Structures are given as structure tokens and as C-alpha cells.
Amino acid sequence: MTHHGRQVPDHLLIRIAQRGDPVSAVSEDDARRRSIAYPKLMWGAPVFGHAEEVAGRWRILSLSGDHPQGSRDALGSHFRRLRGRTPETADHAAERREYQAAIRLLDWEVVDDLTVHGRRYRIIRVQPFVRMGPDGPEPPRPTDPDPYPTGQTRDVPPPEDGFVIDPAATTGLSDGLLRIEMAPAFYKAGIVPDEIQADSHRALVTHPNVVLLPVVFTIGEYLDQTWQPRSAGTYPTPQAARDSAAFRFSDIVPHEDATLEEISAAYTRALEEFKAPRTDEFEIKGVRCRVTRVERFVRIGPDGPEGPRPSDWDPEPPPELHCQQLREQGLLPELD
């Protein structure tokens, strides 16, 4: 996949180029050092999003779900916004009908690939992973951008929004080598349930290449002699992760039988008292925490990025179907 012949399909290419500028040189040196210091790659649970095909390339609109249905719901919301921005004129009536039909389809059925108003959309599957070393997970690298001051990261957009998934784009040496390493990677038998392992192995055939997504960050904590996630999600910059590290629900509940008013007061006090750190290592209530670097990739096949797998956890049905099921069980009132 690393050679440049015209006969190689774009979805199989990994183009590596040496970049001579100083910033790239420092970034490559950081990557080399960290691959030695943090040699073990630990995969996390997949995340899901929706993408749009534009001029033969897929562009990520959002990564918004821990399971596929959450991303289908988000895609439905995307079509609602498009419908809302479409003029209510005769010239645009057909376009509005297409958006409305897509919304209804996603409200009732499990759909991962559809075409609306001449554009293809897909629910995509993204695999996060963290580098681990003897001292725990990899912290941010010196070359990772961190431009925002403490407390001013709330409106920073996710770095993957609008990201174009282009397997044929030129990449640096370290990212190219990482793609070569990830392309044949799959769950080994005995580590995960058989159906998950089988899907993982099958993906090597259906989606044989990988593309790296922009790096994000989270907070890890050291509890019971092991590192585990503290943050519920990931954040676009190291400081955004630090700003999120204030506390969890369990941190602020004053006692087991606390009332809603007591919990609200404790939450207010915690907000007032918390001062987001600027370092990558800090303690919260005596617990060691670390800003953790999260890398991600999406698998690519001849028809674009990989969608959800049959074995992926997907507990919720589409929203209207779910409501119908609840009404049939007597858990929701019947509609007039």
C-alpha cells in the first residue's frame, strides 16, 4: 500500500513524504520518542458519527455517538436543519420533501447509508486508541496545539468536524508507519466475544486501509493500581480536557440521602472552588489524574469509510419505533 503506482486504487494507498519544514521535523521527533516511551496501543470502545460524500471524498459532519443509533438521530437532526434553511417556495418543494422523507425514514428504521438531494450520507465507525507506557497513558505532546487559556475552551469546535477522509493524501513518516501498523490490526480470538472478533477480522477484507483522524484528549485517573477514564468523552485540546476535569456526579453528592437542593448547592460550590489546572498531571480529591492523548482511525474500503458492524452495541431503536413499542407495552399513552 506504500508504493505509488497508478494501478493501485486510492482506497489502498498510503503515501508517505518527508517534510523538511522545522515544525514537521519536531513533530516527527516527538512521535518517534513517544512511540518508544509509550509502546503499547490500547483500543477503546468505538465511536460513531455521520459523514457526507463530496466530490468522491467523505467529509465528517459530526462524531456524536457511543452507539450507532445516536449518530442516526444526529443525522436526522442534520436533515431537520437543512429543511429549516430551505426556502418554502415552489422551486425548493422537492428538496424539502426529500429532507422530510429522510427524517421520517431515520425516525422509524435502522438506516446507515442513504442518498438525499443528490448527496450520499453514511453512519461511520471510528476506533479510538491510547498509547500506554510503564508510567501510564501518553500525555499531550509538546507539539500538540493548546492555544486557549483556562476556562475559555467551551466553544472550541471538535477538530474532526469537516475533516475529509482521504486515504490517498500525503502523510508524514510517523503517521504513515502508524497507518501501516493499524491496517492489519484486529481483535484476537479469546479477548472479545466471538462475534466481535469475527467482525473485526472481516473488516480487514471489506475495509483494508485506515485513515487517522485528528487527535483529541481526555482525562485519565489512577485508581486501584490501574489507569481508567475519568472523563465521559474527549475534548479538542488539552486545556479543554483540563477544564472538564472538575468533578463527576459522585464527587459532589454530600451524602447518600442528599436532597436535590443539597446536591445543587454542592454543585455550585464545586464550580466556584474548582480552578482548572494548566499542567498535564494533577490531583482531584487525592486522586492522581492525567491529561491523556487519544488517537483515532477509521477503516476505509473501496466504497468509503466503514459503517457500524453487526456486533456493535446498539441498544436503542429509532425514536418513533421506540415510542410505538412503549405504547404497545402500555408505558406511553396512545396517540389521539
Side-chain angles (χ1 to χ4, degrees), residues 51-59 61 75 78-79 82 95 98-99 102 113-122:
E52 174 188 26
E53 189 181 26
V54 179
R57 292 286 183 251
W58 288 86
R59 178 173 64 94
L61 299 178
L75 181 55
H78 176 70
F79 291 137
L82 291 178
E95 181 179 353
E98 283 200 57
Y99 292 140
D113 204 313
L114 69 164
T115 299
V116 181
H117 194 54
R119 289 181 179 263
R120 289 183 69 193
Y121 297 86
R122 177 175 297 170

Side-chain angles (χ1 to χ4, degrees), residues 146 148-156 237-244 274-278:
D146 196 15
Y148 300 97
T150 301
Q152 296 186 28
T153 60
R154 182 180 297 274
D155 297 324
V156 179
T237 69
Q239 190 56 48
R242 297 182 199 108
D243 288 346
S244 78
F274 177 72
K275 303 297 182 186
R278 189 64 185 175

Side-chain angles (χ1 to χ4, degrees), residues 23-35 141 143 174:
V23 174
S24 295
V26 174
S27 296
E28 291 290 347
D29 188 58
D30 272 354
R32 180 186 63 81
R33 292 174 183 272
R34 289 297 180 85
S35 67
R141 297 176 184 174
T143 46
S174 59

Side-chain angles (χ1 to χ4, degrees), residues 323 325-333:
C323 289
Q325 292 170 346
L326 292 176
R327 283 193 292 270
E328 291 171 353
Q329 297 169 21
L331 300 177
L332 275 182

Side-chain angles (χ1 to χ4, degrees), residues 11 53 56 58 113 120 122 206-208 300-306:
H11 76 276
E53 189 181 26
W58 288 86
D113 204 313
R120 289 183 69 193
R122 177 175 297 170
T206 60
H207 296 82
I300 299 294
D303 192 39
E306 183 184 18

